[in-house]
Amino acid sequence: MPANYNYARQTVDSTLLSAVHDRQRREERGIEKVDLQRARRYGMKEAAKNGRIKYTYGGVVFIYCPKRNRAITSWQVEGASDKSGTKVSAPIMLDKHDFGGEDISKDKLMIHNSLAGQMNANSRIQAKWTSHSVLVVDMSGSMRKDDVNGARCRSDGVWMALARDYVKKPLQDGTRSHFDLISIVVMKDDGARVVARHQPTTWILYNMLVDLREWSTYKPSGHGYYLPAIDEADRLLTSNANAGCSLSLLFFSDGSPSDPRSDRPAIVEKIGKLASKFGRRLSIACIGMAEEAEDFSTLNDMVTEAKQYGAQATFGKPSLDADSLSNIISSLATSVTTSKTEMTELRTGSAKLVRMDIEREKINTPDYIGTWTGYEGDGPDYVRRFWSWSYRRSSGFVEILDTRCAYCYKENANLLECPGCKARYMCRNCYRDHDDFTIHRTRYNGKQSECHKILARTRMGSLLRKELPSWSIAIKDQTFGEGAERIVRKVRFLDPSGNFIGHEMVAKESRFIESHGGSYEKQMDYHREFLRTQDIASDFAKKFNAAMARAQTYFDAESQGMLSELPRIQFIEPMIVELIEGGNEKNILIERFLEGEYRKFNSNMGFVENEVKELVERMNDLGLGGNLTRSLGNDLGAIKEGSETSSDSSDSSSESSDSFDYPEVKDIFDSKEAAPFSGDYHVGALEDAYFPQAFSHYTYVRSKRQLMVVDLQGILTVKEDGTRVYELTDPVIHKRKTTNNRAMRKWSFGRTDRGEKGMKAFFETHECTDACKFLGLTEVDVENV
């Protein structure tokens, strides 16, 4: 044994007698008595002949007679590594949970079993499940290998980490209850066995997992077949129709499947079907328990396939160390809590039911594969109206002017226009059937005509002229994306012949039953928060871009040319499409599809894209780059009072010309603009990746510390004029809970708004770069947020 082979527990003090035969064999085979003592204390235990016990540990097997407390014989076996495992480090041993007496333990077991029975048989209790984890553990012969530090073999490491990190710790910190269920499937030579079915998370389950560590319960042997295990996992995951239950599949294996090679595609396909059925509601984790050289291609393919259908899937390859494995499993346990939170109504604590009417397709599936539903002007299913949004109006929704015939909804180039409002159209067929536009323009009983109402709405901003490719659309029946709140489908505008025209679009709908369908008002309410958030973020982006342009004016002409190439921020504009389908009203939110490398630059929880972190570290280390020269010397740190300069005048004038239902809306932006810091800047320091972070910082300052736009995601693209732009969508706005602004108090930004906590989370990870300095932004003390 190595010199550093010291155990916390004293094994040499344990009394163990040896038979003559055992002493002879140990002398012949170079086995010391302390090796037997360690094996009896820590070894894998299983039954042997004649009531004896077989212990395996540290490359030693010995037969022990408990009646006589005597070692009968012992021998050395292959399988214990000299570089890791029990020859190098002591195993982590877990004590069973003590209920305080044998009678109490029996009572607890009876209660647990009764609860488990109700979980399976009572539909009302099934509706209360909050999570269901299916653990699939490879128990093939190779899992006996003794090469995991902190464990007695590979299978022991898995059971130990599951018991300690997936059950014990969540029970201790209160993140799991008996409505969080766990099922266990083991892969064996004869197929797959369910050793725990829908077990509530209790200390009884913890003790069960501790027992599974011992070979006397299940000993690794034979082959490990994936297909039967996946079939069992499928049956377990689909056994409860409760759509408010978070689902997880944890798949542990130490190598390629024993299934015939011809069955490998079927393994991946079955995982894909599972992911297609549940989407984001299902988390799949495949964990490889072997050396780096082992073939984990099938596990990786399973993860890739699951991701293609929107499931949250990861592959983990821990080092051969129990702590490394524990880190992975602890992370998976945390993801269960996160998924449960995502599926919980925060105000009431009740479960949010995920829609089960969703048909998912693989990412990057071509348009010609799958089915589409058309909404055309003269069909039974058609578009009634389009809506835009303005947060400056109390109602928010702004109707887009309908350029179709007001009677038959047909659209063509030969429509006649009302000469009064220029916002009412008729085709020539309908015009012959109606008395010109006279009815439209006539007052009745002293009331305004429809024509005058349209003119008034246009002036007040509740009716918007906007050019659309057409007033007919097609929506793909299959979804191709899924987020925490929404599912995403493809949408295309149609020409009169039914061909796709215009930009590719996407439709975003709620993934939850409560927010989907229902009354017309309920549907519109669901979109309200999204539209408000995106519209306010878009206004911030316009002011940010104007501030960028103004900051350039502080530099000399040569520098201004370089600075003009810095990327700008833009949020794509969403619309609501009001549809008639089968005589019923429905509405969907659509926006332009972002083509390119879609990236997440930060989150509402303080996450920062790795590229930014690496760039900051590199610039801090090097401090290199060419200098930009300013033209105004040391006065550049001053705050400029009043309205914005001419470079931002177009933004200001458009704001002042609007008709506000909320006068206070004008006051959400600070009129004070900071000039860039004085001193030298580095060309190389003004990296593209810094500007999304600087934008979030800017929104906090410009809103007088009341709002912050985060969760920035989208693409970096180049416009036709050469301008580089971050095109973003789905932002999150954190709003300070206490505000004196009347309009802002009424605004809701949804479940992702974390208020001051979210603002603090941003500044805890944000490090100001030269992009912030370029905009005159200073470091923010997190304690004062």
Side-chain angles (χ1 to χ4, degrees):
M1 293 289 177
N4 63 348
Y5 192 70
N6 295 316
Y7 288 173
R9 300 182 184 184
Q10 294 297 315
T11 57
V12 293
D13 294 336
S14 60
T15 303
L16 176 65
L17 303 176
S18 291
V20 174
H21 176 78
D22 175 63
R23 288 197 295 271
Q24 291 174 344
R25 292 292 177 265
R26 282 195 289 107
E27 187 174 349
E28 293 170 3
R29 297 162 181 168
I31 300 172
E32 299 179 10
K33 188 174 182 180
V34 70
D35 296 334
L36 305 188
Q37 291 170 318
R38 287 177 180 136
R40 187 174 65 164
R41 184 174 292 274
Y42 300 107
M44 304 304 295
K45 180 180 176 183
E46 56 187 311
K49 295 180 179 179
N50 303 320
R52 295 170 177 173
I53 299 173
K54 180 180 178 182
Y55 291 98
T56 304
Y57 186 76
V60 172
V61 176
F62 94 98
I63 306 298
Y64 170 71
C65 178
K67 291 182 179 179
R68 300 168 60 192
N69 187 29
R70 192 177 297 272
I72 304 302
T73 187
S74 56
W75 64 91
Q76 292 183 339
V77 293
E78 296 181 358
S81 170
D82 291 325
K83 298 179 180 179
S84 60
T86 54
K87 286 190 175 182
V88 175
S89 65
I92 298 170
M93 305 304 292
L94 300 176
D95 293 324
K96 284 189 174 184
H97 183 75
D98 184 3
F99 290 102
E102 186 176 346
D103 291 339
I104 298 176
S105 297
K106 289 179 180 179
D107 289 342
K108 295 290 185 182
L109 178 60
M110 185 172 64
I111 293 170
H112 174 93
N113 291 337
S114 173
L115 190 58
Q118 292 181 58
M119 292 290 180
N120 286 287
N122 190 318
S123 59
R124 286 189 302 174
I125 293 182
Q126 283 185 333
K128 295 182 179 181
W129 292 15
T130 54
S131 73
H132 181 201
S133 301
V134 176
L135 318 177
V136 177
V137 181
D138 183 358
M139 290 296 282
S140 61
S142 55
M143 290 291 283
R144 289 201 304 263
K145 193 167 183 180
D146 178 3
D147 59 358
V148 178
N149 289 338
R152 298 170 292 180
C153 65
R154 292 176 179 178
S155 68
D156 181 58
V158 172
W159 297 122
M160 183 279 298
L162 286 172
R164 185 183 67 177
D165 303 300
Y166 205 73
V167 175
K168 182 180 180 179
K169 288 182 180 178
L171 280 173
Q172 289 175 330
D173 60 29
T175 56
R176 297 277 181 88
S177 74
H178 54 269
F179 288 118
D180 296 294
L181 278 71
I182 291 179
S183 298
I184 302 171
V185 179
V186 296
M187 288 192 285
K188 293 289 291 179
D189 199 23
D190 55 352
R193 300 179 195 171
V194 179
V195 299
R197 187 183 303 274
H198 304 149
Q199 296 294 307
T201 302
T202 67
W203 290 108
I204 294 293
L205 178 62
Y206 165 76
N207 287 349
M208 183 189 305
L209 285 166
V210 173
D211 284 338
L212 284 168
R213 296 183 66 178
E214 302 301 330
W215 286 357
S216 55
T217 308
Y218 274 102
K219 182 179 181 180
S221 63
H223 300 285
Y225 294 99
Y226 281 25
L227 269 179
I230 293 172
D231 285 338
E232 288 290 357
D234 189 350
R235 283 189 282 270
L236 288 164
L237 289 169
T238 56
S239 60
N240 184 357
N242 172 26
C245 175
S246 169
L247 301 174
S248 301
L249 173 61
L250 279 61
F251 203 97
F252 299 86
S253 179
D254 67 347
S256 59
S258 300
D259 308 68
R261 186 164 291 276
S262 59
D263 286 346
R264 306 284 171 87
I267 293 171
V268 176
E269 182 182 354
K270 282 181 179 289
I271 290 294
K273 287 182 177 179
L274 257 181
S276 175
K277 188 183 304 181
F278 297 111
R280 184 183 174 89
R281 184 179 155 206
L282 173 65
S283 299
I284 296 178
C286 295
I287 297 96
M289 288 292 300
E291 302 91 343
E292 291 290 343
E294 187 58 61
D295 178 13
F296 291 120
S297 58
T298 301
L299 289 181
N300 274 302
D301 289 345
M302 290 162 62
V303 167
T304 301
E305 185 76 358
K307 287 180 177 178
Q308 291 290 306
Y309 286 102
Q312 302 177 83
T314 57
F315 172 75
K317 171 62 189 72
S319 59
L320 292 174
D321 182 273
D323 288 337
S324 175
L325 178 60
S326 287
N327 288 336
I328 290 177
I329 292 179
S330 293
S331 175
L332 297 175
T334 301
S335 71
V336 171
T337 303
T338 302
S339 180
K340 285 164 54 180
T341 302
E342 192 176 280
M343 296 172 61
T344 302
E345 174 54 59
L346 299 182
R347 286 168 293 184
T348 64
S350 59
K352 299 181 69 176
L353 303 180
V354 176
R355 291 168 54 190
M356 295 301 290
D357 62 339
I358 301 169
E359 182 183 355
R360 297 173 178 86
E361 69 178 13
K362 272 189 176 183
I363 296 172
N364 298 324
T365 297
D367 289 347
Y368 61 83
I369 296 177
T371 56
W372 295 73
T373 299
Y375 299 86
E376 302 179 68
D378 56 352
D381 300 335
Y382 60 93
V383 175
R384 177 191 278 177
R385 280 179 289 202
F386 283 92
W387 295 90
S388 185
W389 177 273
S390 173
Y391 72 87
R392 294 182 176 91
R393 299 189 56 79
S394 59
S395 60
F397 292 106
V398 178
E399 185 177 353
I400 294 175
L401 178 63
D402 193 340
T403 56
R404 297 171 296 177
C405 174
Y407 295 99
C408 69
Y409 280 2
K410 288 183 179 178
E411 50 182 316
N412 58 60
N414 297 316
L415 292 174
L416 300 173
E417 181 182 72
C418 171
C421 64
K422 299 186 183 300
R424 178 80 163 189
Y425 302 89
M426 278 193 282
C427 67
R428 295 187 182 276
N429 288 337
C430 293
Y431 177 74
R432 287 195 298 268
D433 295 336
H434 297 81
D435 185 12
D436 201 2
F437 288 96
T438 305
I439 299 174
H440 172 65
R441 301 177 65 185
T442 303
R443 288 173 176 264
Y444 289 99
N445 298 325
K447 294 182 179 179
Q448 275 190 331
S449 67
E450 188 177 353
C451 185
H452 281 85
K453 288 179 181 177
I454 289 177
L455 282 170
R457 289 184 62 196
T458 304
R459 286 195 301 269
M460 294 297 293
S462 64
L463 187 64
L464 174 70
R465 290 181 180 271
K466 181 180 177 66
E467 187 175 346
L468 299 173
S470 76
W471 282 71
S472 298
I473 66 170
I475 304 175
K476 198 166 191 183
D477 298 322
Q478 295 77 32
T479 67
F480 75 94
E482 188 170 358
E485 295 287 328
R486 301 173 186 87
I487 58 171
V488 186
R489 303 181 194 273
K490 294 179 181 178
V491 176
R492 297 303 300 266
F493 285 99
L494 301 174
D495 67 13
S497 300
N499 300 313
F500 292 163
I501 57 173
H503 286 292
E504 291 184 53
M505 308 291 287
V506 294
K508 297 183 176 181
E509 310 167 37
S510 174
R511 63 187 282 247
F512 299 108
I513 293 172
E514 298 93 314
S515 303
H516 178 73
S519 68
Y520 173 84
E521 284 300 324
K522 185 177 180 181
Q523 293 178 51
M524 294 296 271
D525 282 343
Y526 171 72
H527 299 305
R528 197 182 303 272
E529 290 173 353
F530 179 92
L531 289 165
R532 178 186 294 118
T533 301
Q534 194 112 331
D535 190 36
I536 292 175
S538 181
D539 230 6
F540 271 121
K542 292 172 186 176
K543 295 185 181 298
F544 178 83
N545 295 337
M548 292 267 289
R550 187 185 58 258
Q552 291 173 205
T553 64
Y554 289 92
F555 296 83
D556 61 27
E558 181 182 354
S559 299
Q560 286 184 34
M562 291 183 285
L563 292 170
S564 66
E565 298 177 358
L566 294 174
R568 271 36 179 182
I569 302 290
Q570 177 183 322
F571 288 87
I572 56 178
E573 183 182 352
M575 296 183 291
I576 300 295
V577 187
E578 189 177 320
L579 304 169
I580 299 298
E581 183 181 82
N584 298 316
E585 293 177 325
K586 64 177 289 188
N587 53 65
I588 59 169
L589 183 146
I590 68 170
E591 63 183 20
R592 181 165 52 84
F593 175 65
L594 293 177
E595 296 186 69
E597 182 189 357
Y598 195 91
R599 294 156 59 191
K600 194 175 185 76
F601 305 104
N602 63 27
S603 77
N604 68 328
M605 304 289 284
F607 161 82
V608 178
E609 188 183 35
N610 284 333
E611 181 183 351
V612 179
K613 296 177 183 176
E614 292 167 2
L615 284 170
V616 170
E617 290 174 2
R618 189 181 70 192
M619 290 302 174
N620 287 344
D621 291 341
L622 299 178
L624 300 177
N627 291 339
L628 297 177
T629 305
R630 287 216 183 75
S631 56
L632 296 181
N634 295 325
D635 294 332
L636 300 182
I639 298 295
K640 304 182 74 174
E641 301 285 349
S643 61
E644 296 170 353
T645 62
S646 58
S647 63
D648 199 19
S649 59
S650 62
D651 183 66
S652 297
S653 61
S654 64
E655 188 175 293
S656 61
S657 64
D658 281 336
S659 173
F660 292 94
D661 288 297
Y662 286 144
E664 295 88 343
V665 168
K666 294 181 181 180
D667 300 328
I668 71 170
F669 296 113
D670 195 341
S671 61
K672 298 177 182 178
E673 284 286 351
F677 284 175
S678 58
D680 289 337
Y681 283 80
H682 300 296
V683 174
L686 287 170
E687 297 278 355
D688 291 351
Y690 292 158
F691 285 90
Q693 299 301 114
F695 173 73
S696 291
H697 186 168
Y698 174 86
T699 61
Y700 175 77
V701 174
R702 189 70 202 275
S703 68
K704 307 175 188 176
R705 302 170 66 231
Q706 301 300 300
L707 303 173
M708 175 183 279
V709 182
V710 292
D711 204 24
L712 304 182
Q713 52 195 307
I715 62 172
L716 177 59
T717 187
V718 181
K719 299 292 186 180
E720 291 182 359
D721 62 358
T723 305
R724 292 183 307 126
V725 176
Y726 280 106
E727 290 192 295
L728 307 175
T729 186
D730 281 354
V732 166
I733 292 183
H734 297 313
K735 182 185 77 172
R736 191 173 295 280
K737 288 184 171 58
T738 55
T739 176
N740 294 323
N741 188 294
R742 182 169 65 92
M744 205 180 295
R745 283 201 302 269
K746 295 182 179 180
W747 291 343
S748 169
F749 295 108
R751 289 156 42 91
T752 50
D753 172 11
R754 300 182 64 229
E756 290 91 334
K757 288 183 179 178
M759 296 174 181
K760 285 186 177 182
F762 172 82
F763 284 116
E764 283 172 353
T765 57
H766 174 64
E767 184 172 345
C768 279
T769 63
D770 277 9
C772 294
K773 295 176 183 177
F774 176 64
L775 290 160
L777 303 174
T778 59
E779 296 279 354
V780 174
D781 184 354
V782 176
E783 298 303 319
N784 295 328
V785 172

